[in-house]
């Protein structure tokens, strides 16, 4: 939903409007997330873990309804991004069909394309390796942290409010 909202904003705003509003929206989102994170412990003690999960479901449902309403309003006032996106998709399909004969002659698998890309750009290959290694390390550390936390704080609601 979050990505859909950013996509919608990006498609209905001009680049000038985007530079003005994106930083403000991102900043407010960060502040709200920080405040919400500090409230988790209090909320968990009041409504329990199940209540917290149900509250999340309610806020996501409200967000989906508001997103739907925003697309409805954009269509009503003439700035719906859907026609532009569908025309781009149709243009891409036409371009792909004209290039299909060429593609049949030079059929290359996705794995082959990826290998060629990494061979032509060693920096990209190094960055890919770095991302994979750091993500792996992050996952291992997270699992270790959660196990230690589970041993230290055996009650689910207390543990949920800590993390």
């Amino acid at each position: 939903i979050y990505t859909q909202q950013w996509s919608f904003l990006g498609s209905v705003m001009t680049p000038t409007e985007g530079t003005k509003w994106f930083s403000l929206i991102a900043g407010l989102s960060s502040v709200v997330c920080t405040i919400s994170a500090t409230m988790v412990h209090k909320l968990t003690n009041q409504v329990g873990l199940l209540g917290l999960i149900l509250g999340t479901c309610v806020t996501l449902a409200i967000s989906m309804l508001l997103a739907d309403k925003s697309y409805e309003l954009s269509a009503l006032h003439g700035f719906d991004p859907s026609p532009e996106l569908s025309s781009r998709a149709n243009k891409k399909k036409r371009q792909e069909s004209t290039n299909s004969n060429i593609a049949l002659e030079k059929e290359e698998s996705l794995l082959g394309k990826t290998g060629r890309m990494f061979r032509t750009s060693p920096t990209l290959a190094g960055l890919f390796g770095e991302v994979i290694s750091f993500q792996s390390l992050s996952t291992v550390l997270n699992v270790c942290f959660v196990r230690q936390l589970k041993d230290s704080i055996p009650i689910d609601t207390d543990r949920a409010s800590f993390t």
Side-chain angles (χ1 to χ4, degrees):
I1 291 174
Y2 188 73
T3 305
Q4 181 184 12
Q5 291 168 345
W6 278 109
S7 175
F8 177 78
L9 286 173
S11 61
V12 297
M13 289 186 178
T14 65
T16 306
E17 292 171 333
T19 56
K20 178 182 178 184
W21 289 103
F22 281 180
S23 59
L24 177 66
I25 292 168
L28 286 174
S29 297
S30 295
V31 169
V32 168
C33 288
T34 303
I35 291 170
S36 299
T38 60
M39 294 174 54
V40 169
H41 180 69
K42 293 176 185 174
L43 286 172
T44 306
N45 289 336
Q46 290 177 356
V47 297
L49 190 56
L50 184 61
L52 196 61
I53 292 171
L54 290 174
T56 302
C57 292
V58 168
T59 58
L60 282 174
I62 291 170
S63 181
M64 287 189 319
L65 293 172
L66 291 175
D68 190 46
K69 185 67 175 173
S70 67
Y71 275 102
E72 184 181 311
L73 286 172
S74 70
L76 180 68
H77 295 289
F79 56 92
D80 183 13
S82 299
E84 181 183 342
L85 294 174
S86 61
S87 70
R88 284 183 191 171
N90 289 338
K91 183 178 177 182
K92 186 176 180 181
K93 284 181 185 177
R94 279 184 263 133
Q95 197 174 36
E96 286 175 356
S97 67
T98 57
N99 293 337
S100 65
N101 293 337
I102 298 169
L104 288 175
E105 294 172 7
K106 294 183 177 182
E107 189 68 33
E108 186 177 16
S109 70
L110 180 61
L111 191 58
K113 289 178 185 178
T114 304
R116 185 171 40 84
M117 179 180 64
F118 285 144
R119 281 191 303 277
T120 58
S121 178
T123 304
L124 187 61
L127 287 173
F128 176 74
E130 181 182 12
V131 167
I132 293 297
S133 63
F134 281 115
Q135 288 296 323
S136 301
L137 179 62
S138 174
T139 301
V140 168
L141 287 174
N142 186 41
V143 169
C144 291
F145 175 74
V146 169
R147 283 187 156 187
Q148 289 291 332
L149 189 62
K150 190 173 182 177
D151 292 339
S152 300
I153 306 173
I155 301 171
D156 285 340
T157 55
D158 292 342
R159 190 170 54 248
S161 64
F162 178 77
T163 56

